[in-house]
Amino acid sequence: MTSSARPFLNRRLTEFGTTIFAEMSALAVTTGSINLGQGFPDTDGPEEVREAAVRALRDGRGNQYPPGPGVPELRAAIAAHQERRYGLAYDPDTEVLVTAGATEAIAAALLALLEPGDEVVALEPYYDSYAACIAMAGGRRVPVTLRPSEGGFRLDLDELRDAVTDRTRLLLINTPHNPTGTVLTREELRAIAELAVERDLLVVTDEVYEHLVFDEAEHVPLATFPGMRERTVTIGSAGKTFSFTGWKVGWVTAAPGLVTAVRSAKQFLTYVASGPFQYAAAEALRLPDAYFTAFRDDLRAKRDLLGAGLADAGFTVFRPAGTYFVTTDIRPLGESDGFAFCRALPERAGVVAIPNAVFYDHKEAGAPYVRFAFCKRVEVLADATERLHKAFAR
Ligand SMILES: *Cc1c(COP(=O)(O)O)cnc(C)c1O
């Protein structure tokens, strides 16, 4: 093959050529639909946090390259947050790294920790960047599928154990889990931790929805379990917790050797990012507990509003215990192909959703599921449920 006949995009990435989000967001615009596809809030976070960013900009803090590991104020605030919420003590100087959102933290961790050919066991359906980052790192992904059971999607611990081989380097965990809304229980997390210790695995755990946990569910960081602190890279983000997804302030907390490794990759991705926003994120992390409680209660009410509307329209609703997504089953509507359903939904109902199959390697396992985001204003959700009622309710 001549070089001109060779495709531009390399083989590692061909399967990731286009994302469904671009297609669906474009459809939302051309059809005037309510976009419940992509997960970003339609109102900004706390005014005092926004003002903190303005102040940092004006005062000339962070307008030039901030320090590689992140500004000291933010690293201290991240360490204080982990200590206050979870009793996890991290040294802000050696065990905390600020990243360009959780997205860069995921990429840097996988690029740093994997050798080509290493296997990564991850929970399917996956957040969309996991598969691409494993591929960029030359790793091999091994999915363990969360299966519908008792109104939610659950992990089969035997399947997880069976997925680990001598080539497994790392478990990639996400709790609270996007897109299913599953929050792994303390017992499940303990079993994951025991497996990691027994098989001497690294663990990368994406906990960006740590503050969006509803009802009786509880977020327990994997790093709190015996033997886990030294093998776990914990990823957090200001985007989801404070409703400033455009700021791209994320972080890693881990033992010094792991942070140093992740930083080695991170320094050649963005080097640094989000200077003034880092100062604002530091203030956000120091908000009183009342902020976090009110934020969670607000999202829970929105979950209930959209969930009730979807159930009324005839969907089977898997009530999420966390995150700001709700997964539905479209089979009660006489449908079975989530892709076709989501492509038709804007014309049919004036609403945009995402087919969960895009988050699966086993496409057939995800085929009948469709994800809606409920991090939108109440009037937007009410409008959406009315549209769905008109289109589907009998
Ligand atoms: C949104 C999201 C991210 C990305 O977070 P950013 O801080 O915006 O980069 C990572 N993981 C999951 C599961 C997410 O939903």
Side-chain angles (χ1 to χ4, degrees), residues 100-104 106 127 130 174 178 206 208-209 237 239-240 245 248-250 325:
T103 305
E104 188 193 33
I106 294 159
Y127 180 63
Y130 297 174
N174 171 214
N178 171 9
D206 178 343
V208 301
Y209 295 102
S237 172
K240 304 291 163 58
T245 58
K248 298 300 287 188
V249 178
F325 300 106

Side-chain angles (χ1 to χ4, degrees), residues 207-251:
E207 304 184 357
V208 301
Y209 295 102
E210 62 190 307
H211 290 288
L212 281 178
V213 173
F214 312 123
D215 311 323
E216 315 79 51
E218 174 193 19
H219 174 68
V220 187
L222 260 171
T224 60
F225 290 87
M228 291 304 283
R229 195 186 181 288
E230 60 266 33
R231 65 179 69 248
T232 302
V233 174
T234 304
I235 295 173
S237 172
K240 304 291 163 58
T241 297
F242 302 108
S243 302
F244 288 111
T245 58
W247 289 7
K248 298 300 287 188
V249 178
W251 51 81

Side-chain angles (χ1 to χ4, degrees), residues 119-326:
E119 291 181 358
V120 176
V121 173
L123 309 182
E124 175 186 70
Y126 324 101
Y127 180 63
D128 63 344
S129 84
Y130 297 174
C133 287
I134 293 168
M136 285 193 271
R140 241 178 50 75
R141 62 184 186 270
V142 178
V144 173
T145 309
L146 302 183
R147 304 203 186 272
S149 133
E150 293 165 22
F153 284 79
R154 302 286 6 147
L155 171 63
D156 181 332
L157 289 166
D158 289 327
E159 253 185 78
L160 180 71
R161 285 186 202 101
D162 289 345
V164 174
T165 74
D166 295 341
R167 293 174 302 278
T168 309
R169 174 63 166 160
L170 186 153
L171 303 179
L172 177 51
I173 304 295
N174 171 214
T175 185
H177 182 263
N178 171 9
T180 62
T182 295
V183 177
L184 295 174
T185 64
R186 192 179 281 276
E187 291 66 40
E188 289 167 334
L189 291 161
R190 188 184 311 284
I192 293 170
E194 284 169 4
L195 178 65
V197 170
E198 181 195 320
R199 303 298 296 266
D200 195 20
L201 306 174
L202 298 176
V203 176
V204 174
T205 174
D206 178 343
E207 304 184 357
V208 301
Y209 295 102
E210 62 190 307
H211 290 288
L212 281 178
V213 173
F214 312 123
D215 311 323
E216 315 79 51
E218 174 193 19
H219 174 68
V220 187
L222 260 171
T224 60
F225 290 87
M228 291 304 283
R229 195 186 181 288
E230 60 266 33
R231 65 179 69 248
T232 302
V233 174
T234 304
I235 295 173
S237 172
K240 304 291 163 58
T241 297
F242 302 108
S243 302
F244 288 111
T245 58
W247 289 7
K248 298 300 287 188
V249 178
W251 51 81
V252 161
T253 48
L258 287 168
V259 162
T260 302
V262 176
R263 193 176 149 195
S264 298
K266 182 258 181 317
Q267 68 191 334
F268 300 117
L269 294 174
T270 59
Y271 174 46
V272 290
S274 312
F277 300 125
Q278 291 193 28
Y279 292 94
E283 292 205 22
L285 280 168
R286 289 192 293 260
L287 286 170
D289 287 348
Y291 164 75
F292 297 91
T293 309
F295 175 60
R296 191 189 60 210
D297 291 349
D298 179 53
L299 267 294
R300 183 179 51 207
K302 289 172 170 175
R303 173 199 67 173
D304 293 344
L305 172 62
L306 183 62
L310 288 162
D312 161 75
F315 295 81
T316 296
V317 176
F318 296 93
R319 199 158 94 126
T323 78
Y324 43 47
F325 300 106
V326 56

Side-chain angles (χ1 to χ4, degrees), residues 96-119:
V96 178
L97 173 68
V98 176
T99 55
T103 305
E104 188 193 33
I106 294 159
L110 295 171
L111 287 167
L113 301 175
L114 295 178
E115 292 291 353
D118 280 348
E119 291 181 358

